[in-house]
Each structure stands twice: as C-alpha cells, then as structure tokens.
Amino acid sequence: MYVYDSFDQKVVDERVAQFREQTERYLDGQLADEEFLPLRLQNGLYIQRHAPMLRIAIPYGLLDSTKLRKLAELTETFDKGYAHFTTRQNIQFNWPALEDVPDILAGLAQVQMHAIQTSGNCIRNTTTDQFAGVLRDEIADPRPWCELIRQWSTLHPEFAFLPRKFKIAVNGSPSSDRAAVRFHDIGLELVRNDVNELGFRVFVGGGLGRTPLVGQLIREFLPTQHLLSYLEAILRVYNLLGRRDNKYKARIKILVKALGADAFRDKVEAEWTYLKDGAATLTEAEVNRVAAHFIDPDYASLDDADALLAQQKVDNPAFAQWLSRNVHLHKKPGYAAVTLSIKKLGYAPGDCTADQMRSVAQLADEFSFGELRVSHEQNLILADVRQDRLFDLWEAAKLVGLATANIGTLSDVICCPGGDYCALANAKSIPIAESIQSRFDDLDYLYDLGDIDLNISGCMNACGHHHIGNIGILGVDKKGEEFYQVSLGGDSGQNARVGKILGPSFNADDIPDVVDKIVQVYVDHRHQDELFADTVERVGLEPFKERVYAKSH
Amino acid sequence: MQNLIKNGALQPDDAWVLIVDEATTAPTDAPAIWPLQQYLVQRQSGQLSGQPHGVWLNEEQMVDELAEVLDELALVALHFPKFADGRSFSKARLLRERLSFTGEIRAVGDFLPDQVDYLARCGVDAFACRNEQEANTALSMLDTFSVHYQSDTHQTPLFQQR
Ligand code: HEM
Ligand code: SF4
C-alpha cells in the first residue's frame, strides 16, 4: 500500500486548511452559493436531499485496517454510524453537517485519506481491478500506475475546471476487465509489445449516463514513461475543445463522437508531439519508488491446500458454496483472495455500519496482512488469505454477517442510493434491489442460475451502472409516478456492450415477477453451462419480450 | 484598473486601459488592451499608437490566433465569462510553454480568488480582481500549497525533486 511521505502529507494537510478557510468564507457570506459549489464539490461535498453528502476517495480501491477504523469512528462522530461504498471505489457519508466537514477531512488526513476531486468537473478518483496485484495472469500490477495518476491528477492546475467530470480506470489483466475500462473517459490496459516492453492500450470516450458509449481505442501501445504526458495531451484537447454550452453534451465521449475517433486521435497526437519527453515524462527512479510500495506482502512459502479444502468442503456444504462463489484464485500457491459480501438481505447494497467496518478491519488484521480492497460491485475484499485459514475466516465472517455466499449471483445487486437519498433520483432503487433479493433468496437456485450482473440506477445518471448489467433496471418518472425500465445484455468487461431496452417500463411491484420471467426464459433456452449473458446474446431479446409482456389468459 | 494583483502584490497604479468593445474609447496616452479582432483591424489600418499593445481573448478564441502578432504584444489578457470555464488555464500554459510569450498574462472577468493559485501555476502573472475584498483574498491564496505534484510554468514535477 502506498505510504505518504512528508510531501504527500503536506498536500492533504494544506488542502484541509484551504477548505476550512473556504467553508468559513461561505458561512459568513463572502462566497455565494454558486461560487462555493465548485470548491466544495472538488472536496467531495454535495448538498443532497436530506443533508450534505461527503464522498471520500479510496484511491484504486485500496484500504487498510487503520483507515477503515478511522472511517468507522468518523461516521459515528459526525454521521449516523454507517456509510456507503459506491461503484467508483469511494465511500459516502450521507448526513454530515456542513460545519463538520473540515474536521472530517482533517480526520481523514490523519490516516492518509482525502476527499480531493471526488466530485466536480475535474479528474476523479482513478479506479482499477479489486484483484490487482494478486492475479495469476496479470501483465503488471496496475496499482503503481494508478498511484502515479493519483498524484499527477491531484490539484492539477490546468485541469480543475474541465467541461465536465473525468474518470480514468486502469486494468492489468489480459483475460478479464473488472475495472470496466471501456466505460471510462480514459481506459488504460497494460500490455507488452513485441520486444516485451510494458505499455498501455489507450481507450477514450467511454461512459454511461444519458449517452452510454463504449470507449474507442486511440493508441495500441503507449510506453509507460509517457503515461502522464499523453494523459496531459488528451486532457488539454478536451479542456480546449470540449463543449461547455450544454452539460449533457460536455463529456469527452461527445467530443470523441463528434470528431470521430481518428480525428480526435490526430489532435491528441499533435498535442503530444510538444509534450512528449517533456517535464511530465516519468523517470525510472520515480516509477520504482512508487512501485516499491506495492510489492508482495510477506507471503509464507506454502503449497495449495487442496486436500484440506476438499475435506472441509465435504464436511461443510455451506463452506463449499462460499468457496466456489466468494473465493478467488491467487497468484501465490497456498493463498486465496476472498470477497466479503455486504449484500445481505435487509441491507442496502453498499451500506456498511461502523461495527461492520471494525469487524472487517479485524478480519483484515487477522487474515490478510491488515489490507483490504473495495470493488466496484460494492463488496470488500481480503486479497491475501492463507488457504489453510479460509475455514476460520469463513466462520469469523459468518458471525458478523459478512459471509453471504452470493458473489456474482443475481442477489449480489449493484445499486445506487436512489430516491431514498439522492436529490436527482426519478425513482427509488434500494427497495427494488431488496424486493429482488428477497424473491431470489434460495442460494441453490441462485447457484443454478450462475453469474448474472444485476444493476439498478434511480435515474439516467447511471450511478448503479444499469447500462452494463446483464440485467439493468433504471428508475424513470412518468407524470410524477415511479416506473422501472429493464434492459438486457449489458457487459462491463472486454466484450463491452450497452444493454438493450426490453420494452415499456414496469411498476415497482411487478419487478420481482419480471426478473423471475427473464430468468425462466434463460433457464428454458440455455445450453448446458451457458452463462446468462451468452444466452441473451445468442437468442436476442424476442423470447424475453414475449414472456415478460405476454397477456395473461 | 483597480484591484490588480501583479507579481504577487497589489498594484495601485496600473496604466493599462481595457477596451471592452467598440463603444469604449481608446486612450491616446495610455496602453490599451484590445479585443483581438479590433486590434487586428487597427493594426491593418496603421492606427495603433506608440504605446505598448495588449490584446484580450474571449473564451472561444484560441492562442494560435495570436501567433502572428504575439511579438508585438506586451500583454495578453484572458477573459473569464464564468469562473467555471477552464479553457484559459490551458491557454496560459500554451502561451508560456508553446509560444514562449514572456509578457504579462492577465486574468480578467469572473474568476475566483480560489483560482489564482492554479492560474499562476499556468503562467498568469496578473489578476484584475472584481473588488478589493476579492483582491485581498486572492493575494492570501496565492501560495495555499507549498507542494505541487505536477510540473507547471515555474517548476519541474515533484517526482524530480524527491
Ligand atoms: C447520492 C448522491 C449522488 C449524486 C447527486 C450523484 C450524481 C451523479 C451524476 C449527476 C452523474 C452523471 C454524470 C454524467 O452523466 O456526466 C453520476 C454518475 C455516476 N455516479 Fe453518481 N451520484 C450520487 C451517488 C452515487 C453513488 C452512491 C454511486 C455508487 C453507488 C455513484 C456512482 C456513479 C457512477 C459510477 C456514475 C457514472 C456513470 C458514467 O460512467 O458516466 N454515484 N452521479
Ligand atoms: S443514478 Fe441517479 S438516483 Fe442514483 S445516485 Fe445517481 S444520480 Fe442519484
């Protein structure tokens, strides 16, 4: 995990002082609402339906037990004792008082955390794969590159007032993309060229929201030392040419679409000829300095515990289920990565109480070198667990309600806060998630259905990534009433695709039935071992439409 | 111009006159900051005075439109119609770093005191603030941060200093 030196610490400390002063100026009337707005947003502070909302960065999803305990303490001191893990590897406090925010930020700074640029029209928290650094097939660990991007983008003087928000994601594994890089303003994929040098494939112009688009490849190979100068070139072209007349057309995806990917690439390359080899060119010393923070923990030298696990599975079918759903292959023999599900029935997806945070911190200390990760699916990961201790971990996690064996299934719902919290919502989303989760609470049935991404957003902004769910649900407003539109076939990975809308929208009450029917059509049509997404791809929407919209006889 | 910060201090006696549009009378005995189009026209017809020349760019005008005349200019002003429009940050850098402009770059219009630190790092060296209070606030915010990660028009990136 990256550890701040005195420079990094100074930046966050001075940022807290700056925001304290800005808040004071706002409270005594020197700053107008609209002037305070971009300043507070760049410190993660929204004014929401019920109260301010504070979004705190978890850079590339990495946390440790000290940070998590601090978050627990801060939610208790300044909020209602729980917080919300988001789809962007951030955590949100839902009810802080404006006056307390500088103190919250000061508390975060004590544990090397911040809320810098978690909102506003600037470069946001860079995201990555929650299994970064522990995968067998990884080309290189994306986290050092994420940290380099974090530093470069933090308080960047040129790019703090962009036409619109800007999101970057990095992926390091050739066989899977858990960071959804093709749905980011810039997506970076680590690759090696013919002569085994490390570089990036660069995608630009992806994103969800009102105009969901898959990013376009603008560079096959960018040598790593040029990462920051190339990002600078893209951002500069966007800052100068991006639309500013209409906030819905201001994202870089609209610019890339309007110019065409080739013309956009030409502009970036032209800009880059001036920046290439300039001041932003990374030095080997710096790359090594940052990378040294992400070396492997002190792994024991072990063999895979196949025999032990096989016996434990026989003795304990529930443990076997948990292993198959929540435990992930690790590059290091004898280790595993574990997902702790915070998608228990009765809890809003992503919500986490201070007690749960402390429990997870405890588990991280006991089982995973004190570190953990946050996934964009809104779960928590212990990435370095000894296989011979998985059973102990499972028992300990069960005691605190974090061992629901539903990862990747229909009940592992990704969901935005929707109408219960969010001022922009057209409809509620948490109760919809809950109604589906309670309909599909039979684990055996869920296992039979296999992997299905279900994503719910309360409005077009797509905070719940509904476009890229295999099943996506979107809250819509019709004459003041809440309805839900369903789409099928979205995919956030290497086969990046936006889901297609099934047809007319539904009442909240009908949604569990609708999802049930969709699932039945899949069960009827699937080939052996065929995943839901593949069946949808093969048979198309028609059979689903027929069943879902069939008139009852 | 009142409430001007230049080179890190308040400047009470600034001689430049901002010509907002054709309705503003051009001074004969003081240097003027012209709208770009108007400057080009005056220049074409040989009507420019012997005073130093300045030009201001609106938010749509890009710095390459200045390429031909930049050598004649002592000052380029960048106009903020709204503080949220961040194009001038890039334009200032381009003026300094690409076009090697060494004259004054002045921010005018609706920018915030909270932006002057960033603008200064992008190469802006003068700020025509909206009122006295803002000028004082801006002055106090010029060095909010003692550490900067990125290179700017004054500094190499932090990683070269670690
Ligand atoms: C409760 C306060 C929230 C507000 C006011 C809010 C607002 C917005 C807005 C306005 C957008 C659209 C931006 C655009 O299309 O350009 C957006 C997008 C997004 N939000 Fe939120 N949001 C909130 C909470 C959340 C939460 C809790 C999550 C995660 C669960 C989240 C994750 C996202 C994501 C992933 C997108 C991106 C869609 C894309 O890729 O374009 N937001 N949000
Ligand atoms: S999708 Fe809409 S309702 Fe949901 S959190 Fe985002 S802005 Fe709010």
Side-chain angles (χ1 to χ4, degrees):
Chain A
M1 167 145 234
Y2 187 74
V3 179
Y4 286 5
D5 66 10
S6 60
F7 293 115
D8 303 296
Q9 189 66 44
K10 253 204 189 114
V11 171
V12 296
D13 289 344
E14 290 176 358
R15 177 62 153 187
V16 174
Q18 180 196 37
F19 190 64
R20 196 179 288 286
E21 192 273 346
Q22 288 168 335
T23 306
E24 279 162 16
R25 251 188 306 141
Y26 170 68
L27 290 173
D28 69 33
Q30 285 184 51
L31 272 176
D33 280 340
E34 70 275 12
E35 294 171 339
F36 187 52
L37 177 105
L39 307 179
R40 67 170 161 78
L41 286 179
Q42 296 200 10
N43 275 292
L45 186 62
Y46 277 81
I47 303 291
Q48 267 304 297
R49 178 154 288 189
H50 304 288
M53 183 278 278
L54 182 68
R55 184 178 294 151
I56 296 158
I58 302 175
Y60 38 95
L62 216 53
L63 273 178
D64 61 25
S65 54
T66 310
K67 293 180 164 72
L68 194 56
R69 288 198 179 92
K70 178 57 90 174
L71 288 168
E73 176 202 316
L74 292 172
T75 67
E76 282 174 340
T77 313
F78 297 107
D79 208 314
K80 296 190 178 175
Y82 68 94
H84 184 85
F85 289 105
T86 80
T87 48
R88 297 210 69 260
Q89 299 185 314
N90 291 315
I91 184 167
Q92 293 184 176
F93 288 5
N94 285 311
W95 328 87
L98 173 61
E99 293 77 359
D100 290 336
V101 171
D103 289 339
I104 300 177
L105 297 179
L108 292 171
Q110 288 169 0
V111 294
Q112 311 196 339
M113 291 185 79
H114 61 74
I116 299 172
Q117 292 171 204
T118 51
S119 188
N121 295 335
C122 50
I123 304 169
R124 307 285 192 85
N125 187 23
T126 296
T127 53
T128 192
D129 187 337
Q130 68 269 27
F131 296 118
V134 302
L135 296 170
R136 265 180 209 188
D137 73 337
E138 209 164 68
I139 284 178
D141 188 341
R143 294 170 303 170
W145 306 105
C146 292
E147 173 59 25
L148 286 161
I149 296 170
R150 183 190 75 84
Q151 297 188 16
W152 163 80
S153 60
T154 295
L155 311 182
H156 196 299
E158 188 179 343
F159 304 129
F161 297 90
L162 296 169
R164 202 73 175 78
K165 62 174 168 178
F166 204 91
K167 302 171 180 179
I168 304 175
V170 190
N171 183 41
S173 155
S175 58
S176 61
D177 174 9
R178 269 175 291 265
V181 300
R182 287 162 188 77
F183 287 105
H184 282 76
D185 295 296
I186 297 178
L188 298 167
E189 223 170 47
L190 280 158
V191 284
R192 286 196 184 275
N193 66 6
D194 312 346
V195 289
N196 208 34
E197 289 160 336
L198 192 62
F200 298 97
R201 300 177 82 200
V202 183
F203 296 88
V204 177
L208 303 178
R210 202 162 290 249
T211 315
L213 287 170
V214 178
Q216 311 225 37
L217 185 65
I218 64 159
R219 197 168 232 279
E220 260 308 333
F221 189 81
L222 175 71
T224 50
Q225 74 269 25
H226 298 307
L227 173 65
L228 302 182
S229 63
Y230 200 75
L231 293 180
E232 208 138 304
I234 297 173
L235 264 299
R236 183 172 289 169
V237 168
Y238 171 56
N239 192 35
L240 288 170
L241 300 182
R243 286 184 63 170
R244 291 175 186 268
D245 57 328
N246 178 338
K247 83 177 245 199
Y248 300 114
K249 300 209 154 104
R251 298 282 298 267
I252 196 173
K253 62 190 170 188
I254 305 291
L255 178 65
V256 174
K257 194 167 172 235
L259 291 173
D262 289 334
F264 179 81
R265 171 196 299 115
D266 291 347
K267 287 195 188 299
V268 171
E269 294 284 332
E271 187 65 36
W272 190 50
T273 55
Y274 295 102
L275 296 168
K276 183 171 186 276
D277 299 320
T281 309
L282 282 164
T283 59
E284 217 177 300
E286 175 64 358
V287 172
N288 292 339
R289 183 187 77 83
V290 173
H293 290 281
F294 298 94
I295 52 169
D296 285 346
D298 206 359
Y299 292 127
S301 134
L302 302 169
D303 291 325
D304 282 332
D306 294 340
L308 173 69
L309 290 172
Q311 187 57 50
Q312 288 168 332
K313 285 201 278 197
V314 172
D315 296 344
N316 245 300
F319 177 63
Q321 289 171 340
W322 183 75
L323 275 188
S324 81
R325 293 305 328 183
N326 296 37
V327 177
H328 199 273
L329 207 63
H330 199 285
K331 67 177 180 188
K332 187 76 187 162
Y335 281 85
V338 172
T339 304
L340 299 171
S341 171
I342 48 175
K343 305 292 180 60
K344 204 176 137 144
L345 186 61
Y347 290 87
D351 273 5
C352 196
T353 65
D355 288 342
Q356 281 175 324
M357 289 182 216
R358 289 202 186 89
S359 304
V360 175
Q362 180 65 28
L363 295 175
D365 281 342
E366 234 174 287
F367 293 96
S368 196
F369 300 95
E371 288 193 5
L372 64 141
R373 288 103 182 277
V374 181
S375 68
H376 83 263
E377 291 93 351
Q378 303 172 292
N379 288 309
L380 299 173
I381 285 91
L382 302 182
D384 300 296
V385 181
R386 283 175 66 133
Q387 292 175 4
D388 58 11
R389 301 204 61 206
L390 283 169
F391 192 83
D392 297 341
L393 169 59
W394 177 63
E395 299 231 286
K398 262 198 310 187
L399 283 179
V400 290
L402 293 165
T404 309
N406 65 344
I407 299 307
T409 70
L410 195 58
S411 76
D412 185 11
V413 183
I414 297 177
C415 182
C416 83
D420 295 296
Y421 300 95
C422 176
L424 306 176
N426 285 325
K428 294 200 166 60
S429 33
I430 294 169
I432 299 297
E434 198 174 354
S435 70
I436 297 167
Q437 284 170 321
S438 47
R439 172 70 64 96
F440 292 88
D441 67 342
D442 174 356
L443 281 178
D444 287 329
Y445 187 48
L446 288 174
Y447 298 151
D448 174 51
L449 298 176
D451 288 347
I452 304 181
D453 296 338
L454 171 64
N455 296 52
I456 308 175
S457 305
C459 78
M460 280 307 245
N461 286 321
C463 299
H465 285 176
H466 64 276
H467 297 107
I468 50 177
N470 301 154
I471 303 176
I473 300 180
L474 165 66
V476 291
D477 172 276
K478 280 201 220 156
K479 300 190 185 113
E481 270 191 86
E482 299 188 354
F483 284 90
Y484 296 86
Q485 190 180 70
V486 173
S487 58
L488 292 183
D491 188 334
S492 61
Q494 288 175 322
N495 265 325
R497 244 184 336 224
V498 171
K500 294 200 180 74
I501 296 166
L502 198 59
S505 50
F506 306 94
N507 273 315
D509 295 345
D510 296 334
I511 287 291
D513 284 341
V514 169
V515 174
D516 206 8
K517 285 177 187 160
I518 289 169
V519 162
Q520 283 167 23
V521 174
Y522 160 60
V523 171
D524 291 351
H525 284 78
R526 70 177 159 187
H527 292 159
Q528 200 172 3
D529 293 333
E530 191 179 36
L531 287 173
F532 177 85
D534 296 333
T535 305
V536 174
E537 172 74 356
R538 183 171 53 79
V539 306
L541 288 192
E542 268 325 302
F544 295 95
K545 282 188 186 170
E546 273 170 32
R547 181 83 56 99
V548 168
Y549 294 107
K551 296 262 178 297
S552 41
H553 301 286
Chain B
M1 237 177 245
Q2 302 291 305
N3 309 309
L4 182 76
I5 295 174
K6 195 169 153 182
N7 300 322
L10 278 166
Q11 301 289 326
D13 50 356
D14 175 57
W16 289 95
V17 175
L18 183 71
I19 308 205
V20 178
D21 52 31
E22 284 170 33
T24 320
T25 349
T28 51
D29 55 348
I33 308 172
W34 299 89
L36 174 60
Q37 286 314 326
Q38 219 170 320
Y39 178 77
L40 293 176
V41 171
Q42 300 272 334
R43 179 179 180 268
Q44 190 76 27
S45 56
Q47 286 177 9
L48 292 171
S49 72
Q51 297 281 344
H53 308 306
V55 154
W56 65 269
L57 298 181
N58 69 29
E59 71 279 13
E60 304 276 340
Q61 291 166 330
M62 294 292 152
V63 294
D64 43 9
E65 298 174 50
L66 287 173
E68 215 177 295
V69 300
L70 200 59
D71 286 349
E72 308 160 14
L73 302 177
L75 182 153
V76 174
L78 300 170
H79 179 242
F80 282 76
K82 301 194 232 38
F83 61 77
D85 190 326
R87 280 176 278 194
S88 291
F89 294 76
S90 289
K91 288 192 227 175
R93 282 198 90 161
L94 287 171
L95 278 169
R96 291 283 184 233
E97 293 173 343
R98 183 90 33 95
L99 302 175
S100 306
F101 181 63
T102 53
E104 178 177 329
I105 301 181
R106 180 180 293 200
V108 299
D110 180 27
F111 62 89
L112 296 178
D114 309 79
Q115 293 175 309
V116 298
D117 180 19
Y118 286 165
L119 281 167
R121 293 184 58 201
C122 290
V124 178
D125 54 1
F127 304 91
C129 297
R130 293 182 297 192
N131 54 51
E132 194 184 335
Q133 186 183 43
E134 289 202 351
N136 286 321
T137 309
L139 206 52
S140 74
M141 301 195 95
L142 264 174
D143 28 47
T144 305
F145 292 96
S146 62
V147 180
H148 303 129
Y149 282 120
Q150 314 79 6
S151 63
D152 56 33
T153 52
H154 311 285
Q155 274 190 333
T156 55
L158 177 62
F159 66 71
Q160 295 191 355
Q161 302 157 39
R162 292 215 209 235

